[in-house]
Amino acid sequence: MAYHPDLNHDPEAEELFKVVNEAYRTLSDSLKKARYDEQMFPQHHPRVEAERLRRQGVVYTHRTKKDYYKIDKQYFRHQALSILAFIVLAGCCFALMNGIQYFVEQRQLRSYHENSFELKQAGSLFGAGKFDDAFTRVRALTLKAPLEVRVHYTFDSLMITLRKKANLKFEEKDYATSMAYYMVIKKHENPVDPETMRKISIGQYYLGNYRESLEAMNFLYETYPDNAELVYSMAVLNLEKLKNPSEALKYFNISKSILMRKLSGQASLMAVSETAPTAELLSDVLIGSAEANISVGKYPDAIEECNNAIRANPTSGNAYKLRAIANSKLGNSNTVCQDISKAKRLGATEIQELERQFCQ
């Protein structure tokens, strides 16, 4: 700025400012700078350098790259090597696959022989009467080889054979032996067949194992919750064999609810009597409920149940007998002898003692 004409009026300063300005424009323009360098330093310019190298015998020429195949010995050698490499690789893969297949087949064969031995052992145990051990062995084999058809076939065959044995003993009333068979079937059957549990319930009842019989009935009740006859049997078992009237009363009420729900289309209990099987079962349920109420001291409830039983089945002598007992407990002696007389006429059992006690 010291040589700027506006600040310095010296003619030499003005000329020097023009030189500096021209130098700045040359350096800031790449094209001008290249021309300047070519003029000032021709020996370092590319064209000058190329001429110098040409005079020294070093010549660089630029060739355009072309892609082409030349069929010669080198070409055939490369192709042969490629084919050989492919054959070697394919052979390795083939050998590997055959090796794997061989090991798999050997493993399957070994597993087949092991399973055959286990199945033979299970058959021997079954033939010796060790049914539980036989089923346990086959069951373990089922978990070990779930896709082995022979294992499932053997299990089903043993189960069918044992069931036939159990049914035969059951029909012969050999309940002890049949129960032993059925308990093995129950343990290994999945899911448990309701028919198996029905036979267990009956067999245990005849053997005097009332709690075991009731357990089997409970299983059936979970499967068939609307079976009024089954629930009635559970109530009677609690009342008569297990001496548990409170539990019996619960089942009597359930059975009664099932029957009344099925008969909801009937106008009254009198109309139910037109359906003989249902009326008979309902009458038995009501009579059992009355007996359970008497056992727990609920005499008014017992009288009501007897009245309902008589409406459902007027020919039931036990309903009159129980009503006479409940009325006697409450001190209502007016109708006791009349009910005892009707009960005796309708064939009620164990009526003589009541008749001597209240009607003589």
Side-chain angles (χ1 to χ4, degrees):
M1 293 301 292
Y3 300 103
H4 196 279
D6 294 337
L7 299 177
N8 194 335
H9 299 287
D10 187 1
E12 293 183 1
E14 182 178 355
E15 291 298 328
L16 186 57
F17 179 78
K18 290 180 180 180
V19 172
V20 171
N21 194 26
E22 180 64 24
Y24 176 76
R25 283 197 298 269
T26 300
L27 293 175
S28 60
D29 189 334
S30 58
L31 181 60
K32 292 181 178 181
K33 183 176 182 299
R35 291 175 180 173
Y36 178 80
D37 291 338
E38 183 179 359
Q39 293 175 359
M40 295 300 296
F41 309 101
Q43 66 276 17
H44 297 294
H45 194 267
R47 288 184 293 184
V48 176
E49 184 68 15
E51 180 65 18
R52 184 181 66 82
L53 292 176
R54 189 184 65 79
R55 290 178 180 179
Q56 292 179 1
V58 181
V59 180
Y60 292 94
T61 58
H62 177 72
R63 295 181 180 179
T64 304
K65 185 179 180 180
K66 296 182 180 180
D67 296 328
Y68 61 93
Y69 292 99
K70 185 177 181 181
I71 300 177
D72 53 7
K73 293 182 179 180
Q74 188 76 3
Y75 170 81
F76 287 110
R77 187 166 67 87
H78 289 167
Q79 295 298 322
L81 289 174
S82 300
I83 294 173
L84 180 62
F86 174 78
I87 292 174
V88 171
L89 183 60
C92 293
C93 293
F94 181 77
L96 180 62
M97 291 177 62
N98 276 273
I100 294 173
Q101 184 178 1
Y102 173 78
F103 285 115
V104 170
E105 289 177 352
Q106 289 298 312
R107 182 177 179 181
Q108 290 176 346
L109 184 61
R110 185 170 59 254
S111 177
Y112 179 85
H113 290 307
E114 291 176 355
N115 294 343
S116 298
F117 177 77
E118 290 293 327
L119 292 175
K120 186 177 180 180
Q121 290 295 105
S124 300
L125 290 170
F126 190 88
K130 299 179 180 180
F131 306 118
D132 188 50
D133 294 338
F135 280 111
T136 300
R137 184 168 291 227
V138 177
R139 178 68 71 181
L141 196 57
T142 303
L143 298 176
K144 178 183 176 182
L147 300 180
E148 180 68 69
V149 177
R150 295 180 306 148
V151 177
H152 297 283
Y153 176 79
T154 302
F155 181 87
D156 294 339
S157 299
L158 295 181
M159 186 66 71
I160 291 171
T161 303
L162 185 59
R163 188 179 295 279
K164 288 180 179 179
K165 290 177 177 290
N167 291 339
L168 180 61
K169 292 298 182 181
F170 187 87
E171 292 172 1
E172 294 175 352
K173 300 189 186 309
D174 184 357
Y175 296 116
T177 304
S178 66
M179 286 305 100
Y181 293 162
Y182 281 125
M183 294 307 292
V184 174
I185 293 173
K186 175 191 171 186
K187 180 178 179 181
H188 297 283
E189 198 173 37
N190 186 24
V192 181
D193 190 345
E195 180 63 17
T196 302
M197 299 306 296
R198 189 183 74 84
K199 295 287 183 63
I200 290 175
S201 174
I202 296 172
Q204 297 288 18
Y205 180 86
Y206 283 118
L207 290 173
N209 302 324
Y210 302 121
R211 293 196 180 278
E212 289 78 2
S213 177
L214 185 62
E215 288 179 4
M217 288 184 180
N218 273 312
F219 176 89
L220 292 172
Y221 174 62
E222 292 177 359
T223 308
Y224 306 108
D226 290 331
N227 191 326
E229 188 173 359
L230 171 63
V231 181
Y232 169 71
S233 299
M234 297 169 68
V236 172
L237 186 59
N238 273 288
L239 180 63
E240 297 180 356
K241 302 300 181 181
L242 298 177
K243 305 302 180 183
N244 190 348
S246 298
E247 190 72 7
L249 194 58
K250 181 183 76 174
Y251 287 111
F252 279 127
N253 289 332
I254 294 173
S255 182
K256 182 172 63 175
S257 298
I258 294 171
L259 288 171
M260 295 305 295
R261 186 168 65 251
K262 291 182 178 180
L263 298 168
S264 59
Q266 301 289 349
S268 64
L269 286 175
M270 293 297 293
V272 173
S273 62
E274 298 176 2
T275 310
T278 304
E280 184 178 355
L281 178 58
L282 181 58
S283 176
D284 292 341
V285 171
L286 293 169
I287 291 171
S289 179
E291 188 175 353
N293 276 301
I294 290 173
S295 299
V296 298
K298 296 180 179 181
Y299 305 117
D301 292 341
I303 293 172
E304 183 180 356
E305 294 290 64
C306 288
N307 292 335
N308 290 332
I310 292 169
R311 292 190 189 97
N313 184 11
T315 62
S316 175
N318 287 329
Y320 290 102
K321 183 183 77 170
L322 291 174
R323 189 168 69 177
I325 294 173
N327 275 313
S328 67
K329 296 292 184 180
L330 292 174
N332 301 329
S333 57
N334 297 333
T335 60
V336 171
C337 287
Q338 183 179 357
D339 284 340
I340 291 174
S341 177
K342 288 182 180 179
K344 184 178 181 180
R345 188 169 65 253
L346 292 172
T349 59
E350 301 177 358
I351 201 69
Q352 290 80 9
E353 181 63 29
L354 291 175
E355 190 176 23
R356 284 195 301 268
Q357 184 177 355
F358 296 105
C359 302
Q360 291 181 358

